Amino acid sequence: MCELGEKLREARERRGLSLGEAARQLALKAEVLEALEECRFERLPEPALARGYLRRYALLLGLDPGPLLALYPSAPSFPPPAPPRPRRALWPWLLGLALLGGLLYAGLLLWPRAPEKVVELPPPPPPEAPSRHTLRVQSDPPGARVYLDGFYLGQTPLETPPLEGGERVLRLERPGYAPLERRILLDRDLSLSLALAPEKPPPEEAPADKLVLRVEGRSWLRVTRGGERLYEGIPEVGSELAFDLPVEVRSGNPGAVRVILGGKDLGPMGEPGIPVTRRYP
């Protein structure tokens, strides 16, 4: 097994998926995924389509498609032919077969035959051509990159030429916005209008000289500095109190107060229901 197939198989087994389950989620044949995991590239369709299947499989398994696509050979090689086996003398076999064939032919000539009935079968119906449909995609905001089954189609607003119908995977990407991916059933001309959600900015880290008290339950609190009372009372559950260091904190229910010092979560202030006083220099 090659490195590409081993990574795919390990990721699938970590997720507890069988080949059949993964194939059903991707609307593909299990033989396609099996060929990718066993690196049987000769059993896959043309490289452009096979790379699209590999990208979809990697996204399903939570893998980055880029490194895996780099491992897929641009021109898959096929196994070399097996070396020729040593030839044996065939004339005794040929002579025996010729004699046996002569005896069978003579027997057929002498055997009485019933008159043959000619049955004309109707010609098979021509295969149905796959249905093809147009896909129109608009996004808010416009200018999003559109991918269908891993293949880049263009930017929104977009109208495609007729595409082969069936269950497909549509993905929209735009800088500054969270990627949007959904399954669509292309069984008719389809028009979609999709809204992209802005990416959430990373949470700001608390300064190193700050103490944050996150109140996760009811607790009386008193915060002082050098004899000066900065806060005293029962804050609202879910609120956060921030103080410059140094401070002294007393809590009546320290198990309900989470301490964050300089952006680092130190956990609850103490045991539930046992009042405690702590100094944070």
Side-chain angles (χ1 to χ4, degrees):
M1 180 179 295
C2 64
E3 182 181 359
L4 170 62
E6 185 175 354
K7 289 184 176 182
L8 293 173
R9 180 181 57 78
E10 290 178 353
R12 176 176 58 77
E13 291 178 351
R14 282 197 301 271
R15 287 181 171 261
L17 289 175
S18 66
L19 277 175
E21 292 170 340
R24 283 192 297 273
Q25 294 187 33
L26 294 174
L28 294 174
K29 293 183 178 180
E31 290 78 3
V32 173
L33 303 186
E34 183 179 15
L36 285 172
E37 290 191 2
E38 296 182 357
C39 299
R40 301 285 184 87
F41 305 118
E42 71 276 5
R43 293 164 50 186
L44 295 171
E46 60 273 13
L49 190 58
R51 291 169 69 88
Y53 293 155
L54 175 57
R55 176 185 177 89
R56 291 174 57 194
Y57 195 19
L59 291 174
L60 174 67
L61 300 178
L63 301 175
D64 183 2
L68 298 178
L69 290 171
L71 295 175
Y72 188 87
S74 56
S77 58
F78 298 96
R85 301 177 62 181
R87 301 180 63 183
R88 299 180 179 179
L90 298 178
W91 66 266
W93 295 94
L94 295 176
L95 180 59
L97 290 174
L99 292 175
L100 180 59
L103 292 174
L104 290 175
Y105 181 70
L108 289 175
L109 292 178
L110 298 175
W111 191 269
R113 292 180 296 176
E116 297 181 355
K117 293 183 179 180
V118 179
V119 178
E120 294 185 0
L121 298 177
E128 294 184 2
S131 60
R132 305 183 73 86
H133 309 282
T134 299
L135 176 64
R136 300 179 182 87
V137 184
Q138 293 183 341
S139 68
D140 181 20
R145 296 170 63 88
V146 181
Y147 297 86
L148 190 66
D149 291 343
F151 293 96
Y152 175 67
L153 299 182
Q155 293 186 348
T156 57
L158 172 72
E159 180 174 350
T160 69
L163 303 172
E164 185 174 338
E167 187 174 351
R168 315 297 289 270
V169 177
L170 179 70
R171 182 179 177 88
L172 272 64
E173 296 180 359
R174 193 180 193 278
Y177 292 82
L180 187 151
E181 183 172 302
R182 65 171 52 180
R183 291 180 178 272
I184 61 173
L185 180 60
L186 196 59
D187 58 351
R188 52 188 171 81
D189 291 347
L190 191 60
S191 296
L192 298 174
S193 181
L194 304 173
L196 300 177
E199 288 184 337
K200 295 182 179 180
E204 297 182 359
E205 295 185 357
D209 57 348
K210 285 281 188 180
L211 174 71
V212 177
L213 302 176
R214 184 177 298 164
V215 183
E216 299 177 345
R218 285 184 57 82
S219 174
W220 172 84
L221 285 176
R222 182 178 65 204
V223 183
T224 59
R225 181 188 298 118
E228 177 186 2
R229 185 172 301 177
L230 305 178
Y231 176 86
E232 183 173 2
I234 301 176
E236 184 179 353
V237 176
S239 62
E240 291 186 354
L241 306 177
F243 303 95
D244 294 326
L245 298 177
V247 291
E248 181 179 278
V249 181
R250 180 166 180 82
S251 172
N253 183 19
V257 181
R258 183 170 295 274
V259 178
I260 302 174
L261 183 61
K264 183 178 180 181
D265 190 346
L266 302 183
M269 186 175 171
E271 297 294 329
I274 302 178
V276 68
T277 301
R278 298 192 186 279
R279 292 182 176 86
Y280 298 96

